[in-house]
Amino acid sequence: MVNIFYENDVNQTAITDRKVAVLGYGSQGHAHALNLKDSGIDVCVGLRDGSSSAAKASEAGLTVRSLAGASSWADVIMILLPDTDQAAVYDEHVAPNLNPGDAIAFAHGFNIRFDLINPPDDVDVIMVAPKGPGHLVRRTYVEGGGVPCLIAVEQDPSGGARDLALAYAEGLGGARAGIIETTFTEECETDLFGEQVVLCGGLTELVRSAFDILVDAGYQPEICYFECLHEVKLIVDLMYEQGIAGMRYSVSDTAEYGDLTRGPRVIDDHVRETMKDILGEIQSGQFAEEWVAESHSGRENFKRLEDAGHEHRVEKVGSRLREMMPWINAGKVSVQDASGGQG
Ligand code: NAD
Ligand code: MG
């Protein structure tokens, strides 16, 4: 059995006597900075000059510094910039301000796993990766809960890197839900695979393909939307609460028989072979290389695909139907507004 750490397993002084800089105030950045502050940790936010997030962070009661200023003030530097921009910011603003004994931290293993950032031997290198989107890291903390966190230690010249990672994760609220230790490699590869094959890529394409097939067969788009997209949440909630077996218990026998006999025909050996190919591209570094090159050359393909997604008819039908169901978003900050956007 894997070791799971909870609040009693954490030595808080490992972080209460440190100074933490959170670089970036996006999805993860705003959640880390605010949760750490509310946990009584000495934290500042590091932003590039002219950042539109500076006012939002200040209004939230956070101290804002430049990227270099924050890196120099702090002895723990959490890098929460887009994965494809971290290396350039690290080289220019972080590396010149590192002292022996400092720690640099990440929420995803990407830059260390694929050798985009190579920290000096005399700083600790840790990861604290919440297993959830940033707005939920904040919301669940405010509600008294927490998002489970993965921690990892890549370099530990101080001997205290693991305690620091645990204490940081607790400051985020992660110790309320459970903290699991991993490695940069395991976190990075499983995270990329999960988001490509299941959580984002697999799910969105499954939903859109099924929606298109029904609509093209002449069924009303509104009914197809409810069936193929809206109800996903209801089924996922059951799986989240009670596992797949619990979900199957709750649906009708007819739904369960269809699940048991048709599911394996949808996800067949051909799909499994593709999944393995995708894992291979992640492990070999091919995906990372492709994505960094795409990002550094202007993201043309990325934007084209993103725009095409916005034009898909499932979005048009969905936005109309969701307007009629205001309770879906009642009391929730919209994902776009939670971090105050980019900048
Ligand atoms: P984000 O895009 O939401 O925010 C990035 C922040 O960096 C923004 O404030 C942006 O203005 C700023 N920024 C962008 N380019 C910059 C540059 N060149 N110089 C200075 N600042 C710049 O990013 P995110 O989704 O919060 O991701 C941050 C890290 O957290 C990544 O390593 C990501 O893999 C990891 N992570 C994210 C999530 C998530 O829920 N989004 C979950 C787990 C881990
Ligand atoms: Mg992830």
Side-chain angles (χ1 to χ4, degrees), residues 19 31 37 46 56 62 84 95-96 106 110 118 123 129 151 171 173 208 229 252 264 284 292 299 314 321 332:
K19 294 195 243 175
K37 178 174 83 70
K56 281 161 206 129
L62 292 156
T84 48
F106 298 86
F110 195 87
N118 290 287
V123 305
I151 59 159
R208 296 200 311 186
L229 190 150
S252 70
S284 71
V292 170
R299 298 192 171 194
V314 78
L321 292 173
K332 291 177 190 165

Side-chain angles (χ1 to χ4, degrees), residues 15 32 35-37 39 41 141 166-175:
I15 194 152
H32 285 232
N35 290 9
L36 293 179
K37 178 174 83 70
S39 295
I41 291 154
Y141 177 91
L166 280 170
Y168 187 110
E170 182 184 40
L172 292 185

